[in-house]
Amino acid sequence: MTDTPVKTIKELREASEASEAQAKKDKTALLDATVKEAMTSTAYGHLSAVAREAGIAAQYLRTLIEERHPGWLDRAAEEREAAKAAKANKPKTTRSRTAKGGESGTARRTRKNGAAA
C-alpha cells in the first residue's frame, strides 16, 4: 500500500481539532478588538478603515456592531450629520480686498524699475 504516516490518523485529527479551537479563539479576539476599535470614533470612513485593517468586510463589521451594541450605528450617523450641519452653519471669515487696504475691483501690480514687460 502506502508508506505508514509518521503520525496516526487519530493524532492528526486531535492536532487538527486543537488548532481549529485555537483559530476560533484568535478569530473571536480579533473581532472583539475590531468592534472596540471601530467604536472609538464616529468619523466618516473610520469603520471601513478598521474593517480593512482587520481583513473583514465593512458590512460584516457593521453587522457585528449592531448585534453587540444596537443603535450605535444610528447614533454615530446622527453625530456625523450634526457635526456636518454645525460646520456648514459656521460663518466663513474671508477678507475682501478693501479690508486688506487694496483697491476694490481688480488688483494692480506695479513693476520694479527696469523690469521687462
Side-chain angles (χ1 to χ4, degrees), residues 27-68:
K27 182 73 169 189
T28 300
L30 170 67
L31 295 177
D32 289 344
T34 302
V35 168
K36 186 176 180 180
E37 175 62 29
M39 293 179 65
T40 61
S41 173
T42 60
Y44 182 80
H46 178 71
L47 189 139
S48 297
V50 172
R52 195 174 317 114
E53 184 180 347
I56 62 174
Q59 185 57 49
Y60 180 52
L61 179 54
R62 287 183 189 91
T63 301
L64 289 173
I65 291 172
E66 195 58 35
E67 286 173 358
R68 297 175 187 192

